[in-house]
Amino acid sequence: MHRRSFEHRGQWIENRLLELAEIFALDICAYAVMSNHYHVVLHINAAQAKGWTLREVVDRWHQLCKGSPLSQRFARNEALNGAELARLREVAAEWRARLMDIIWFMRMLNESIARQANREDGCTGSFWEGRFKSQALPDERALSACIAMLT
């Protein structure tokens, strides 16, 4: 019996991790992709996210999701009235928060990998066995130990 190899899916995970790191205000400190799971150490870069302009937030969000009709108009440089711009700023504040949120990062990572695997397998439904688990690293010592385990 010939066993099918899924090793190429590790490259999917690595590629998507690196792609998302360019969009989110999260720095990848270390990661390891194993045959049936992966680990990633992330740093929330709140200063980076707070420095983004409205345009940068909208452009980054549009790389993940289609946004709203209002944000799409803004992205096309169409004029927005004062009320529309105020509403867009409210929505963009939520998007900015999501762009520095580990839960949203993991959601975008895991959903895209699951969709790709399901497409390859010709099936639908759950791909990951369970929800991801995360743990805050309280200090430099814990961070160093975690990174050492992954390298």
Side-chain angles (χ1 to χ4, degrees):
M1 179 168 123
H2 178 63
R3 296 195 69 165
R4 190 169 160 207
S5 172
F6 296 100
E7 289 182 24
H8 62 286
R9 291 181 178 179
Q11 191 63 53
W12 294 354
I13 293 169
E14 182 176 356
N15 292 346
R16 186 65 173 160
L17 267 172
L18 299 175
E19 179 184 318
L20 289 172
E22 294 295 318
I23 299 168
F24 280 78
L26 295 169
D27 303 319
I28 297 176
C29 300
Y31 66 91
V33 179
M34 278 67 92
S35 63
N36 64 349
H37 69 285
Y38 64 91
H39 295 271
V40 61
V41 178
L42 298 168
H43 169 258
I44 300 169
N45 192 338
Q48 178 189 20
K50 289 176 183 165
W52 290 334
T53 65
L54 177 61
R55 168 85 45 202
E56 288 172 307
V57 171
V58 169
D59 289 348
R60 286 171 183 274
W61 190 255
H62 283 181
Q63 290 178 63
L64 301 169
C65 303
K66 66 180 183 177
S68 67
L70 196 57
S71 69
Q72 291 169 11
R73 285 180 46 216
F74 178 79
R76 291 189 302 264
N77 293 318
E78 293 179 18
L80 302 181
N81 66 37
E84 290 171 326
L85 194 53
R87 176 65 186 136
L88 180 60
R89 287 187 195 285
E90 286 176 19
V91 171
E94 183 178 322
W95 292 347
R96 184 186 310 267
R98 289 177 181 176
L99 288 166
M100 58 179 151
D101 186 320
I102 291 171
I103 292 170
W104 273 90
F105 181 91
M106 296 304 294
R107 176 182 176 185
M108 293 294 146
L109 173 62
N110 289 339
E111 280 184 10
S112 65
I113 299 303
R115 288 179 197 281
Q116 201 170 354
N118 284 345
R119 202 169 28 253
E120 181 179 77
D121 295 343
C123 66
T124 60
S126 181
F127 175 75
W128 300 99
E129 188 171 310
R131 192 171 187 274
F132 80 93
K133 296 167 186 67
S134 67
Q135 180 177 349
L137 301 174
D139 54 32
E140 293 291 325
R141 186 168 171 240
L143 176 62
S144 296
C146 189
I147 290 173
M149 287 182 1
L150 295 181
T151 55

